[in-house]
Structures are given as structure tokens and as C-alpha cells.
Amino acid sequence: MKHIHNRIVSLILASAVGITSTAAVSASADDSTDDVVTVSFEYEGDGITIEDDAVIETITSKPNSSVYMPKAILEKEGYSFSGWTADGFRGYAPGDALRLDTKDLTFRPVWLNEEEGDIFHVNYVCEVDGQTIDISEDMPPQACLPGSFHTVSLYGITGVEGKKHVGWIYNDEIYRGESRIVMPDHDITLTAKWYNFRKMTYLPGDVDGLLGATMMQYEYVETFSTDLQASNRFSRIGYKLTGWYCENDGKTYSPLSGYIMPEEDVVMYAVWKPINYAVVFSQGKSGKDNIIVKGDTGTTITVPEPTITVEGSTFGGWQFGDEIYQPGDEFLVRGAEPGIGIQLKAIWNSGSTTTTTTTTVTTTSTTVTSSTSTTPPDTSGSEESAKGDANCDDKVNLADAVLIMQYKANPSKYELSEQGAKNGDVADTGDGITNKDALLIQQFLLGLTEL
């Protein structure tokens, strides 16, 4: 063993209890910085020994990090070393983890007088809204010697609606299970600490184009930290969710960011950002001939001129669903289902003579009447080839199923032509367009059935 001399002398109480009174030195904030927290240990004094190879060094770490107390054991004749305390009440045994905040800490040893025979008790009590709950059977008084550490029970009280038991109050401090209290030379009482469950409601806001859920609600314990929901909790055609606007504090938070639940219910609204689409104008030759025009959801782009010619044919416009657009027209970018882009296809009419028709294009902001120099392609064909082609583009794919679902969800916004309705009525033919038709088309595309 080696004796400790010639170091800064600290106050070591000579009584049975080392540092246990309310007058004990509290955590020091001197010399604290925003970048580093210092944890120091004062244990010098005559008669104190330490193992020859043991080292007790000052600890420096970042705020809000965790460090470990020294594992070295001090010795002093007539006493047992219990551990360390910085405030005289909360104790740390050798090797315990210590969670730092932003203040420097100075720890001093706690001694148990081995010859002291007085015993005192730790009592656990429970009150909820002024009503006492008897927990004496589960939590009987615990006998302790002054200067020893009492380890707070992990026992949790359950069955109280809307509330969660999260620890015990002593000296206005919250002690959770397995934390330690320096036992004084008198009885002490630990009172159950309750927190309320609070509701957090997530809403997409008053917007259109929603797919799936339109509200989510969870319960969290007030004052506890939780992670906000991910960006995929709501789905909206043409938009991506980029954050959560908190109605309570007026702040916007990123998805999955940490949030301290306040002592009140919370409402979070989705923050939406328009998707920037590459609108494809397919001229029909090959992909390399495609014209790409970019535009955000809810904005308009100018329909381009074709960049190729087809021998023996005349360009008749760009077809999108049942609508025909001419170069120079305004096209409203309305967004698309996830995984489905926006494509307009060139119409090429054989020969040089054309029939002029008029197509009215209605958007959310303007009505554009444009003269076309063609008639839409004949999509009737044979009854067999037209089955499932709800958007009348001469092929059956996922877009047909999507159009049927959009039409059923919002017929005033998503149009289905008379021919498209006839083509799309593939399930229980004759009963009109239903979601069963969309399902059967999807099953057909997976090779599970025939149309």
C-alpha cells in the first residue's frame, strides 16, 4: 500500500458518515467550458491508502457523454470505502457509469464507519393524484447503515391509467432503478415519481393526392426523448415528405430527429416538397429520341416541338391519357404514383391529310383549348386486344391499374374515357369499373391470371 501525502487537502469528515449531510460540497461549475467537462477526485488525507498500482486520474470528456468512475479502492483504518459523491446524496460505486452534463464535477469519498451500529431505514411510498397506494408488501422498508449506499429498487408500479412510474424522488432529485443514494444518519423516504402519457398526432395537412394513411397517433411519456417518425409515414402523389412542423412550438423538425415530449399533447404536420419530374416526350423511334422537360409538381411546362420526322407521316400532337397537347401548350405537372413517371407520346398520322379536332384540357389553374391536327389513334381494335387498356395507349401495364384506382378515388380529378371504362371492365364484366378490375390487371401483369 502507499500513503497519500503532499496533495491538495480536502475536507474529510471525521464522523461516522464521511460526506452525507446537506452541507456537502455540490458539483462545481468552475472552469467549465462548452467543449470539455472535467471530473476530478479529492481524496487526500492522513491514514488514506490506495493500492500500489491503482491510479485515480482527472477525467475530461465532452458534455452529454458517459464516463466511468475509477475502479481503485481507497482504504482508511476503521472505515469501509463505499464510493464517491459530488453532492452528498447521489453515490457512485467504483466502476459505475457517470452521465455528464455541461458542468465540471468534484468527487469525494464516502466512508462507512465499521464500528457504528445504528441502523436507519429507507421507506418507499406511493401517491397518485392525492391518493395513497399501499406498496408495503412489494416495497418494505430497507435497513441501512449511515455511510453505505442504498441501491434504488427497480420495482415499477403499474396499472395507473394514463401514467407511467419512472423512478423515485429524494431531496427533489429523481432516482431511477439501480442508482445509488448515500445513506444519512436518519430515516429517509423515497416517493414514487409519475409522468403522464401524452399523445403525439401526425397529420398530412389539408392536401390532395394522399395515398394510404391520413393520420397516425402515438403515446409517449412527457419529458422523455423520442424519435420522430420517418419520411415514409405518409405518401402523396407528386410530393415528398421532408419534415414535421410542430403546432405546439412552431418549429420544423427533420424526420427521425430527437424530440423531447412536453407536458402536453402534440400535433405534427407533414412538410411537403414538390417532386421535380423529368417529363418524357416520347417521339416513338427510340429512347434516345425522347425529349426531356423538367418541372415541379403543380407547375406548368411548355410543350415542345418534335425534333424528328417520320417519313410518310404528319405529327399530330402529344398524347397524355385522353388529352392531346400541341407544341406551345402549357402542360400541368400533376405528379405520378411512386415508381411511375410522366410520359407523353407523339401521335404520327399516315399521309399528309389530317382531320382537325379540338381537345379541351382542364387543369387546376387554367383551361386551355387547343386545336389538334389529328384524331386520337383507334384504340378499340379487337375486343380481346383492348382488354385492360384503361388509358387507351394500346398496351396493358401498371398505369392502367393506377388510373382505375385514381378514378375510383377521385373521379372529378381523374378522367376515364368511355372506351377506357369499357376496356378496363375486366373483372365481372358488365358491372362497371371497380377496384377489382385494377387488382385483376395487376394479377395479369404478374402472370397469375388471364384477362
Side-chain angles (χ1 to χ4, degrees), residues 7 16 67 97 104 129 163-164 173 177 200 212 221 228 257 289 316 335 344 358 390 393 427:
R7 305 184 68 157
V67 298
D104 293 344
D129 298 330
K163 295 182 181 293
K164 183 177 179 62
E173 291 282 336
M200 180 177 287
V221 181
L228 297 181
S257 61
D289 294 324
L344 290 82
T358 300
D393 64 353

Side-chain angles (χ1 to χ4, degrees), residues 222-244:
E222 61 188 12
T223 78
F224 278 52
S225 177
T226 185
D227 290 336
L228 297 181
Q229 294 298 303
S231 59
N232 61 356
R233 289 311 186 193
F234 293 124
S235 180
R236 181 185 177 194
I237 296 175
Y239 294 84
K240 56 183 178 181
L241 195 157
T242 61
W244 299 105

Side-chain angles (χ1 to χ4, degrees), residues 197-276:
F197 279 101
R198 301 293 184 176
K199 292 181 180 179
M200 180 177 287
T201 303
Y202 290 87
L203 297 171
D206 186 14
V207 296
D208 58 8
L210 290 172
L211 301 172
T214 58
M215 190 270 284
M216 294 181 298
Q217 193 172 78
Y218 304 91
E219 284 192 338
Y220 300 107
V221 181
E222 61 188 12
T223 78
F224 278 52
S225 177
T226 185
D227 290 336
L228 297 181
Q229 294 298 303
S231 59
N232 61 356
R233 289 311 186 193
F234 293 124
S235 180
R236 181 185 177 194
I237 296 175
Y239 294 84
K240 56 183 178 181
L241 195 157
T242 61
W244 299 105
Y245 172 78
C246 179
E247 184 180 64
N248 299 59
D249 59 19
K251 296 180 181 179
T252 298
Y253 298 87
S254 300
L256 298 178
S257 61
Y259 180 78
I260 303 297
M261 195 69 183
E263 296 182 20
E264 61 182 356
D265 293 341
V266 172
V267 177
M268 293 280 183
Y269 287 97
V271 177
W272 299 103
K273 181 180 179 180
I275 295 174
N276 183 257

Side-chain angles (χ1 to χ4, degrees), residues 25-34 36-40 42 58-60 101-106 108:
V25 179
S26 299
S28 171
D30 294 342
D31 301 324
S32 63
T33 69
D34 292 336
V36 175
V37 177
T38 300
V39 180
S40 56
E42 293 185 358
T58 297
I59 300 171
T60 58
D101 52 21
T102 59
K103 295 181 178 180
D104 293 344
L105 297 171
T106 300
R108 297 174 177 82

Side-chain angles (χ1 to χ4, degrees), residues 67-89:
V67 298
Y68 291 94
M69 303 299 287
K71 292 184 178 180
I73 303 297
L74 301 180
E75 292 186 359
K76 182 179 178 182
E77 187 176 356
Y79 294 87
S80 293
F81 175 62
S82 297
W84 303 92
T85 185
D87 59 9
F89 302 107

